[in-house]
Amino acid sequence: MAKNNTHSTLALLPGFGTLVHCCEGFQSVTLILDDIQLSVDSELYLRDISVELHGGSFNVLLGRTRAGKTSLLRVIAGLEKPSAGRIKFNGEDITQHTVQQRNVAMVYQQFINYPHFTVGDNIASPLKQAGLDRKEMSSRVDAIATVLQIDGLLDRYPLELSGGQQQRTAMARALVKEADLILFDEPLANLDYKLREDLRGDIRELLKQRQTIAVYATTEPQEALALGGSTLLMHEGRIIQSGSSADVYLRPSSITAAALSAEPPRNIVPITITHESITLGQVEQPLVWSDASAHDIPPGNYLLVVPAHNLSMQRRSVDDLALPMNVELAEINGFETHVHLAANNVTMLAQLTGVHHFDLDQAVQVYLPLEHSLLFSVHGQLIGPAFTQAAGRNQ
């Protein structure tokens, strides 16, 4: 399998197989991935993937392009067989089961609908394959179409729909079969902001009362936060951190996780600490510790991680570090302004609320709140909050 043919097989499988349940006697749905590896032509796509997912959970795969998200979804779906490791569903080893032997549905980035079927027939297609009677099928189609706001479009054909309506149709077809596993491969990436916001809410609402395991892949940290649930942060084929979406965002476990879990990206700045001073790169801010031992930070070199939205052009606390910097670029992004700053060998990004105008190379004073920053070792291990008490008060 090459990375660029991700959807070639999926395009042929809009119904995604028959409704087969593994281990009917289990009350709760459980999926276990045990040390999954995937190699293709000597290239390692997935490595050391071990995770346990339960029914009713919403799990976000967050990572940049080529992090391994789609490969992992394909392994879970049965479109790829892992090179090593096992997949267990409700206690049964399904590693070698085909797509048709797994009760799974999938929603893709591209709109995949039968062009010669009406919207109603598209949605009903997996139910027809499962042999449901016409009354039950009609009831399910009407219900899912109503929630996704396409109930007035059931007699239309896909080519008569907008992009958002086509994606709602594809989602309805995947969700109507009430699969044990529902996999979303960046399903909203091609839609505008408002549509994405609406559909995210629809997805969570539809899955709220189900014992389905949902796995949703995205490249966008803000989308992971908006979806909630749990986040599995992926990098170079590995899961490098997992936990609630809020925890992964607020408490990255490594410098790599800190770099990948926020947008705009967090500022990562080399820092030198002594009992008398803090130096960011070559920008020094003299400090007198009120109680150096309370901070329990040995003198040395570290990495300071500061969210872009925590930088300010106005002092908000007596403990803020005041940094003289120059504006390299100011970008207005909706109702925010992203200000790129530099001083000596330090570069930073400030995310300011509202529209602000700056001249190129304008000298500004930037305020950095230590209490909202994280400290990492130079090797990238999290040490903890940078400073939990006031550090900038001169005695």
Side-chain angles (χ1 to χ4, degrees):
M1 177 203 70
K3 282 274 185 180
N4 59 5
N5 70 353
T6 298
H7 300 288
S8 59
T9 305
L10 300 179
L12 303 176
L13 299 166
F16 228 147
T18 56
L19 298 177
V20 177
H21 289 266
C22 298
C23 302
E24 296 282 350
F26 281 79
Q27 303 254 330
S28 178
V29 178
T30 303
L31 176 72
I32 296 175
L33 307 179
D34 183 12
D35 198 21
I36 295 297
Q37 321 283 329
L38 178 64
S39 297
V40 180
D41 297 330
S42 300
E43 183 177 351
L44 197 58
Y45 282 36
L46 297 174
R47 47 187 170 177
D48 309 323
I49 300 288
S50 292
V51 66
E52 184 171 327
L53 307 178
H54 296 278
S57 65
F58 195 95
N59 310 277
V60 181
L61 290 181
L62 173 61
R64 292 176 180 166
T65 302
R66 298 186 65 83
K69 304 183 301 298
T70 296
S71 295
L72 183 54
L73 290 179
R74 289 174 63 84
V75 167
I76 293 172
L79 292 165
E80 295 284 353
K81 296 296 186 290
S83 307
R86 294 184 305 167
I87 304 172
K88 286 188 175 183
F89 185 78
N90 286 352
E92 179 183 356
D93 190 331
I94 63 167
T95 310
Q96 300 304 318
H97 285 194
T98 64
V99 173
Q100 289 76 14
Q101 293 172 304
R102 305 185 191 194
N103 186 22
V104 62
M106 198 161 182
V107 184
Y108 327 111
Q109 183 174 329
Q110 283 79 6
F111 314 134
I112 300 176
N113 295 300
Y114 293 112
H116 54 289
F117 282 7
T118 64
V119 168
D121 287 339
N122 263 285
I123 298 171
S125 58
L127 304 181
K128 289 180 181 177
Q129 292 179 23
L132 263 68
D133 65 73
R134 185 176 296 275
K135 184 177 180 181
E136 172 68 13
M137 190 161 44
S138 177
S139 175
R140 281 210 209 176
V141 169
D142 288 345
I144 200 78
T146 298
V147 173
L148 288 172
Q149 302 173 48
I150 51 174
D151 47 311
L153 307 175
L154 295 178
D155 293 328
R156 295 191 187 181
Y157 289 88
L159 292 180
E160 299 175 304
L161 306 178
S162 67
Q165 291 167 339
Q166 289 190 55
Q167 188 63 307
R168 288 175 189 268
T169 301
M171 285 173 54
R173 188 180 61 244
L175 294 166
V176 75
K177 62 184 288 188
E178 299 182 357
D180 292 323
L181 297 170
I182 299 184
L183 311 177
F184 300 87
D185 192 4
E186 299 187 53
L188 310 181
N190 294 332
L191 304 180
D192 64 48
Y193 175 80
K194 180 61 175 134
L195 273 175
R196 294 171 72 173
E197 194 175 55
D198 291 344
L199 283 172
R200 277 198 295 263
D202 292 340
I203 290 170
R204 294 309 309 270
E205 189 62 34
L206 282 165
L207 296 177
K208 191 179 293 182
Q209 303 302 322
R210 298 190 186 184
Q211 278 301 298
T212 297
I213 295 171
V215 184
Y216 186 109
T218 182
T219 60
E220 300 181 20
Q222 294 302 328
E223 184 165 52
L225 279 173
L227 288 164
S230 299
T231 287
L232 308 173
L233 184 59
M234 295 195 69
H235 179 59
E236 296 181 349
R238 283 195 176 104
I239 295 174
I240 62 170
Q241 186 175 353
S242 62
S244 75
S245 295
D247 280 346
V248 170
Y249 174 75
L250 292 171
R251 286 173 280 277
S253 60
S254 67
I255 203 71
T256 302
L260 297 175
S261 59
E263 182 61 40
R266 294 176 172 95
N267 296 290
I268 301 175
V269 184
I271 183 173
T272 301
I273 296 175
T274 72
H275 291 311
E276 292 77 33
S277 68
I278 292 179
T279 303
L280 281 72
Q282 296 175 6
V283 181
E284 185 170 324
Q285 172 70 33
L287 293 176
V288 177
W289 301 105
S290 56
D291 183 357
S293 63
H295 301 284
D296 197 26
I297 302 172
N301 297 318
Y302 299 92
L303 296 172
L304 187 69
V305 173
V306 187
H309 68 266
N310 283 136
L311 292 180
S312 175
M313 299 297 176
Q314 297 178 333
R315 186 184 289 276
R316 293 177 287 195
S317 166
V318 295
D319 304 314
D320 289 354
L321 290 184
L323 306 175
M325 305 194 83
N326 294 317
V327 175
E328 288 194 325
L329 176 67
E331 301 172 298
I332 297 173
N333 183 15
F335 293 103
E336 295 178 342
T337 305
H338 292 180
V339 187
H340 299 262
L341 303 153
N344 298 326
N345 65 336
V346 173
T347 60
M348 304 187 83
L349 172 66
Q351 180 185 17
L352 307 180
T353 301
V355 176
H356 304 269
H357 297 279
F358 296 91
D359 296 326
L360 292 182
D361 207 34
Q362 179 179 336
V364 294
Q365 192 89 326
V366 181
Y367 295 95
L368 186 158
L370 289 172
E371 68 270 23
H372 297 304
S373 306
L374 294 173
L375 202 63
F376 291 78
S377 75
V378 290
H379 302 294
Q381 287 83 33
L382 175 65
I383 295 172
F387 308 102
T388 56
Q389 298 180 1
R393 297 191 183 101
N394 289 329
Q395 296 185 354

